[in-house]
Amino acid sequence: MAERCAVIGVGQTKHAAKRGDVSMPGLVREAAARALEDAGLTWRGIDAVVIGKAPDMFEGVMMPELFLADALGAVGKPIMRVHTAGSVGGSTALVAAYLVQAGVHERVLTVAFEKQSESNAMWALTISVPFQPPVVAGAGGYFAPHIRAYIRRSEAPAHVGMLVAVKDRLNALRNPYAHLRLPDISLEQVAASPMLWDPIRYLEACPSSDGACAMVLTNGDGAKRSPGAPAWVWGTAMRSEPVIAYGRDQVNPRAGRECAADLYGQAGITNPRREIDVAALYVPFSWYAPMWLENLGFAEEGRGWKLVEDGVTAIDGDLPVNPSGGVLSSNPIGASGMLRFAEAALQVQGRAGEHQVDGARVALGHAYGGGSQFFAMWIVGSEKP
Amino acid sequence: MREVAIVSFAQAPSVRRETERNEVEMLTPVIAEAIERSAISRKEIGFTISGSSDYLAGQPFSFVTALDAVGAWPPIRESHVEMDGAWALYEAWVRLQIGDVDSALVYAFGKSSPGDLGEVLALQLDPYYLAPLWPDPVSLAALQARALLESTGYTERDMAEVAARSRRDAQSNPNAQVASDFSVDDLLAEPYLVSPLRKHDCPPVSDSAAAVVLAAGDLARRVCERPAWVRGIDHRIDPHYPGVRNLAESPSAALAAREAGVGDAPVDVAEVHAPFSHQELILRDALGLDGRTAINPSGGALAANPVMAAGLIRIGEAARRIMEGNARRAVAHATSGPCLQQNLVCVLEGD
Amino acid sequence: MSEPVTSIRRPVRLEYDFTAGRAMSRFLLGLAEGRILGQGCPECARVYLPPRGTCPTCGVPAEEEVEVSPRGTVTTFCVVNIPSQVLVVPVPYVCANILLDGADVPIFHLIQECPIEEVRMGLRVEAVWVPAGELKATFESIRHFRPSDEPDAAYDSYREHL
Ligand SMILES: [Zn+2]
């Protein structure tokens, strides 16, 4: 029988294009120390550490958990390192949750980070391997054709991507940790921004950030002793599918649909649109908001854009999506997934500050990676499951 | 804890340089063999996890294409650690404890040949204080060997005995890369590579891949005649800086061994991941192994050391002894990082 | 007091000899002959291009060689406005997913010799090779794709490949 799992501490850094004021150990400690303080624990109170980040080439350090072990108070303890591409922040939190649910540990610190300014992140992603097609267009170049396919299929009006870009940047103004702060953002401004990878405009794409996120996870007994109200884990799920395969639908991936179905089953959710109060979705390019709304069952296929257009996903809407400003406002890649998971926890704890959704009791944290092929999700609630 | 066992193991023979097949092509037959031997169908495997390194492969997201060898369709529950496959096995064991899935596929791949392994591994070091000096792993290991020789009664002869025994045992391991029959005196007559290490004290550079299938409780009994039950598994890490720890000891290995229960009963066989000969001496002491335990009958990492897979192969080799009925209680160990910084210990038992 | 040190430069240069692998090697040798070779899966019969040695959905070796057409359909595309560090193509340029006739998965390649605003989903295109004497076992043997002046493919003919 699996143990219950709860989030009792959340911490994150201020995210910025370059955090030149801290080293890598300083960055992860900043987030971890905040999570520990939040949980009312010291480093000594932690049984194990699970750390995640995207490719090592982003910082130029192979398996950086080895040198970060000291800074994370992991010496003499178990420490694991997860890497599942863009979904890694979510997957890392899930591995930490497994350690608690399996009854192996009582209190687990989980941390995810990226310090992209330490290396040349663009280079790290466009490293040219011989005998691969000589077409290197970056992440935007990979995802833009799928966005075009979504627009064609759903017949969504062209301004939907811009609506998401504006909404998330306005939400970010309520989040003191957000990287981008664009108080003057408007549809006109987004429309006028350069088209990077048509149909993706500059202001419809995520920034590149330095940042870290951390959480303390514990079991039922640990949650009882926690100083604040915990966020209870109602369900966890991960799914993967191959990058290239006949029958793959990159617009509405089967792995994402099945991951959500598994998750809702565990959480006893039959109508996500009605039963989930707030969703923290991994949206690195604005059009992915309507795409994931469909993939996750919040809208019928081809109708996700209507939720955006009708204001349902606004912070005061019926289903607020990314009230923190999301990946479009802060993108320390390895940490981006965990930030979604942490945001879900903060919301049901009622501690999201200015971007708190009133009365949020059930929240979804979502992350995806690779060529829309790796998915990690959890549902947290204010009530014990 | 829920009973979980290793029910099958497969590996590719280690070679110095696999030039014909890429990682996926090396992995495909290994995974197929492990699954076939497990008698659990591919689509029934409940959880899949791998261990590998982007810097070893020389490209970001190198684990993504490796998924092609799995047949991840319909979509599967899957994860990846940027660690030796032994830690992937640990995560699979944890995942099986939760109780909703009953089997797991664990695989690891490591081709060390594409880059210069010494330079690649130098990037594992603290980027601010150590890596700019480009210390290669052999030199760091030599520092450790020197510390061991100076602070204990161990001698270079003890190290050569480890090397001679490992290479001799490797002669009966078809997957080993380096096998030979030399006397200890012959080895000691060789020149130093990096004093006090001679060539035979160091591991070969290897390309290989390995896969293990785990199953829980009744499923394990149903699919395997002699499952290798995981009775204890634990891993710990020491401080990173070689200068702040006593390199002649491995407190993290000792702690992991205690937590895994190595000393609770006699150990028939131990597969210890000691890439350098002196590291076996350190680990024998840390794990509390004595002359009653056969150590590294496969030849160990001195016979084949495919980085990222070598630890998983130790667990697989130890499990194989039990599954084949040649041992009742076995210990497997994996290491990562400079000078044995991180260590995992797994205790396996037959019924 | 002197200024604090906020960063150090540590250039890292690593060289790797990548292994193409058997499947990719056969594909590249095909390009040197002006042929495009995919691989068929013995279980699901789908044709993969470039070949990957295995069928990613079945997880079995897929070694049957299948020559596919140098003509195909643009399933979807994007217009890139960011200069590439490695590609010597002036911006803007078009990257497209192209489903070659006889293959079951699209390849990613450039569309050229066509005004950007005329590139569309369903456009029929053909490979433009380097001159016969310059064919080599590299991807660069195909320079790019260009419109083949056939009628557009119907949306339903490629929608399952999006
Ligand atoms: Zn197939």
Side-chain angles (χ1 to χ4, degrees):
Chain A
M1 181 58 203
E3 294 273 347
R4 285 205 175 89
C5 178
V7 181
I8 56 165
V10 172
Q12 64 182 293
T13 61
K14 166 72 187 160
H15 310 290
K18 183 176 171 70
R19 283 294 307 270
D21 56 323
V22 284
S23 60
M24 265 180 268
L27 188 77
V28 293
R29 262 185 96 89
E30 187 175 312
R34 284 176 183 161
L36 287 174
E37 192 189 340
D38 199 29
L41 292 172
T42 62
W43 297 95
R44 200 180 293 275
I46 292 299
D47 302 323
V49 180
V50 183
I51 182 168
K53 67 174 294 314
D56 289 356
M57 280 115 185
F58 280 150
E59 289 83 12
V61 185
M62 179 181 180
M63 300 157 76
E65 63 282 1
L66 292 167
F67 99 95
L68 293 173
D70 303 38
L72 287 171
V75 167
K77 295 175 186 173
I79 178 170
M80 298 194 60
R81 157 72 191 290
V82 183
H83 174 16
T84 61
S87 61
V88 65
S91 313
T92 304
L94 293 188
V95 175
Y98 294 160
L99 285 167
V100 172
Q101 290 170 330
V104 175
H105 295 299
E106 185 174 336
R107 283 178 300 262
V108 179
L109 171 67
T110 184
V111 188
F113 81 102
E114 210 72 66
K115 202 156 190 290
Q116 297 187 65
S117 70
E118 298 269 323
S119 178
N120 182 337
M122 189 74 182
W123 172 85
L125 280 184
T126 59
I127 183 170
S128 151
V129 177
F131 45 78
Q132 295 293 321
V135 183
V136 181
Y142 183 86
F143 292 112
H146 302 305
I147 291 172
R148 181 181 305 279
Y150 170 73
I151 296 170
R152 169 78 166 77
R153 259 201 222 174
S154 67
E155 296 172 354
H159 68 267
V160 168
M162 295 188 264
L163 288 171
V164 175
V166 171
K167 169 191 69 90
D168 281 6
R169 271 53 174 269
L170 290 175
N171 286 348
L173 297 174
R174 302 161 174 257
N175 176 0
Y177 300 107
H179 169 185
L180 289 187
R181 307 197 77 80
L182 306 171
D184 304 326
I185 190 89
S186 64
L187 284 178
E188 296 70 34
Q189 216 182 45
V190 178
S193 69
M195 194 61 100
L196 300 185
W197 306 275
D198 193 341
I200 302 176
R201 291 177 181 81
Y202 175 72
L203 284 172
E204 290 173 302
C206 57
S208 162
S209 318
D210 286 355
C213 180
M215 292 189 287
V216 178
L217 271 51
T218 189
N219 59 12
D221 287 344
K224 248 179 253 164
R225 292 194 292 273
S226 136
W232 294 96
V233 176
W234 286 15
T236 60
M238 47 171 77
R239 284 294 186 285
S240 307
E241 64 185 43
V243 62
I244 293 173
Y246 171 78
R248 270 204 78 197
D249 180 347
Q250 294 228 44
V251 173
N252 189 1
R254 183 169 171 182
R257 293 198 308 269
E258 294 185 357
C259 192
D262 181 358
L263 187 70
Y264 298 155
Q266 293 172 43
I269 286 174
T270 51
N271 184 337
R273 168 84 168 78
R274 204 165 295 149
E275 296 168 61
I276 291 174
D277 299 320
V278 51
L281 309 186
Y282 199 105
V283 176
F285 303 103
S286 59
W287 277 101
Y288 273 84
M291 289 163 73
W292 294 143
L293 286 168
E294 296 172 24
N295 191 239
L296 293 163
F298 290 110
E300 279 173 55
E301 188 156 10
R303 305 295 288 169
W305 58 269
K306 279 291 286 176
L307 297 187
V308 174
E309 202 174 44
D310 295 347
V312 172
T313 59
I315 193 162
D316 55 357
D318 196 33
L319 173 69
V321 172
N322 293 333
S324 69
V327 182
L328 282 170
S329 305
S330 314
N331 185 34
I333 299 177
S336 289
M338 190 173 289
L339 287 165
R340 307 286 72 72
F341 278 49
E343 166 70 6
L346 287 173
Q347 287 288 346
V348 300
Q349 289 176 307
R351 301 192 308 124
E354 277 187 63
H355 65 279
Q356 177 67 45
V357 170
D358 281 343
R361 291 171 51 254
V362 181
L364 169 69
H366 161 272
Y368 87 100
S372 304
Q373 64 185 126
F374 301 118
F375 292 85
M377 306 176 192
W378 78 5
I379 284 184
V380 286
S382 53
E383 307 280 323
K384 210 186 268 194
Chain B
M1 300 312 277
R2 193 181 188 205
E3 280 198 312
V4 169
I6 292 171
V7 296
S8 77
F9 167 56
Q11 62 180 310
S14 280
V15 294
R16 170 63 185 89
R17 189 181 294 279
E18 166 67 59
T19 54
E20 202 184 315
R21 297 181 300 168
N22 62 24
E23 280 89 344
V24 182
E25 289 168 333
M26 278 190 94
L27 207 45
T28 304
V30 173
I31 289 178
E33 188 183 336
I35 289 178
E36 197 185 316
R37 281 192 190 165
S38 78
I40 299 171
S41 86
R42 192 182 284 263
K43 303 294 176 204
E44 276 174 56
I45 298 275
F47 182 65
T48 300
I49 178 155
S50 59
S52 68
S53 160
D54 281 349
Y55 260 115
L56 196 68
Q59 44 183 315
F61 309 114
S62 55
F63 61 92
V64 174
T65 48
L67 204 53
D68 285 356
V70 174
W73 194 262
I76 58 172
R77 294 184 185 88
E78 188 263 354
S79 196
H80 173 262
V81 291
E82 194 82 351
M83 308 178 85
D84 184 289
W87 277 267
L89 184 141
Y90 177 80
E91 184 178 325
W93 173 81
V94 170
R95 187 66 186 79
L96 288 173
Q97 294 304 321
I98 297 173
D100 59 329
V101 296
D102 297 328
S103 58
L105 167 68
V106 181
Y107 62 91
F109 57 97
K111 284 182 83 167
S112 303
S113 65
D116 178 317
L117 187 60
E119 290 180 0
V120 170
L121 290 178
L123 291 185
Q124 276 189 340
L125 302 168
D126 180 298
Y128 308 108
Y129 295 123
L130 292 171
L133 307 169
W134 291 96
D136 68 278
V138 178
S139 302
L140 287 172
L143 282 175
Q144 185 180 35
R146 176 63 64 200
L148 180 73
L149 295 175
E150 301 291 325
S151 65
T152 65
Y154 286 121
T155 62
E156 290 178 30
R157 175 166 290 274
D158 295 319
M159 290 162 54
E161 277 170 2
V162 168
R165 190 206 70 230
S166 299
R167 265 69 187 255
R168 200 175 305 122
D169 287 347
Q171 288 177 313
S172 55
N173 176 2
N175 296 304
Q177 181 184 342
V178 183
S180 55
D181 191 1
F182 286 110
S183 74
V184 170
D185 288 325
D186 287 346
L187 294 181
L188 287 172
E190 293 287 315
Y192 288 118
L193 187 64
V194 180
S195 167
L197 301 178
R198 296 176 173 84
K199 191 157 179 271
H200 62 252
D201 294 308
C202 304
V205 175
S206 313
D207 290 355
S208 183
V212 163
V213 174
L214 294 173
D218 290 343
L219 178 63
R221 285 189 190 89
R222 197 161 71 235
V223 299
C224 185
E225 197 186 334
R226 282 182 291 265
W229 298 103
V230 178
R231 294 294 184 215
I233 185 165
D234 195 87
H235 62 98
R236 303 281 157 163
I237 196 164
D238 287 319
H240 179 67
Y241 296 88
V244 304
R245 49 187 164 118
N246 178 355
L247 294 176
E249 294 174 357
S250 179
S252 60
L255 183 54
R258 196 155 63 238
E259 295 291 324
V262 171
D264 295 349
V267 178
D268 300 325
V269 59
E271 281 285 342
V272 175
H273 185 195
F276 296 89
S277 62
H278 67 276
Q279 292 177 339
E280 184 188 302
L281 303 174
I282 295 171
L283 289 165
R284 278 196 323 224
D285 290 344
L287 271 54
L289 302 172
D290 57 27
R292 289 174 294 176
T293 301
I295 297 185
N296 288 349
S298 68
L302 285 168
N305 189 37
V307 176
M308 308 316 287
L312 182 63
I313 290 174
R314 302 278 74 69
I315 299 178
E317 286 284 354
R320 194 169 62 81
R321 308 270 153 191
I322 290 171
M323 290 189 286
E324 290 176 355
N326 296 320
R328 210 203 68 77
R329 192 163 191 269
V331 166
H333 159 269
T335 195
S336 174
C339 300
L340 303 174
Q341 189 197 344
Q342 190 175 20
N343 295 282
L344 178 146
V345 176
C346 176
V347 175
L348 298 165
E349 285 179 8
D351 276 313
Chain C
M1 270 291 274
S2 48
E3 286 291 301
V5 177
T6 56
S7 70
I8 54 169
R9 269 186 73 78
R10 178 177 61 105
V12 174
R13 184 186 165 77
L14 296 174
E15 286 192 21
Y16 292 86
D17 290 321
F18 291 107
T19 305
R22 288 175 184 157
M24 187 57 77
S25 174
R26 279 202 292 270
F27 170 76
L28 294 171
L29 290 170
L31 291 180
E33 297 171 357
R35 302 162 69 208
I36 304 176
L37 301 175
Q39 277 181 338
C41 170
E43 284 191 15
C44 67
R46 296 295 169 186
V47 174
Y48 278 88
L49 186 80
R52 312 170 70 82
T54 55
C55 172
T57 57
C58 302
V60 296
E63 289 172 351
E64 185 208 350
E65 209 154 81
V66 180
E67 182 163 357
V68 304
S69 167
R71 292 186 170 210
T73 301
V74 171
T75 60
T76 184
F77 66 97
C78 73
V79 183
V80 180
N81 288 294
I82 300 176
S84 162
Q85 297 182 343
V86 280
L87 199 61
V88 279
V89 181
V91 291
Y93 61 89
V94 176
C95 281
N97 284 10
I98 303 163
L99 184 68
L100 294 181
D101 301 345
D104 283 304
V105 291
I107 61 167
F108 201 48
H109 219 297
L110 301 171
I111 307 291
Q112 305 255 283
E113 299 184 49
C114 170
I116 281 178
E117 53 282 3
E118 286 179 22
V119 178
R120 59 198 176 267
M121 291 168 69
L123 180 70
R124 294 283 298 164
V125 293
E126 63 187 6
V128 177
W129 298 82
V130 298
E134 296 172 25
L135 285 172
K136 284 200 210 84
T138 68
F139 254 102
E140 284 77 7
S141 286
I142 297 176
R143 277 191 176 145
H144 53 260
F145 284 75
R146 72 176 171 212
S148 60
D149 296 328
E150 298 163 76
D152 281 10
Y155 180 54
D156 281 342
S157 72
Y158 60 86
R159 64 177 303 164
E160 65 177 312
H161 297 276
L162 285 172

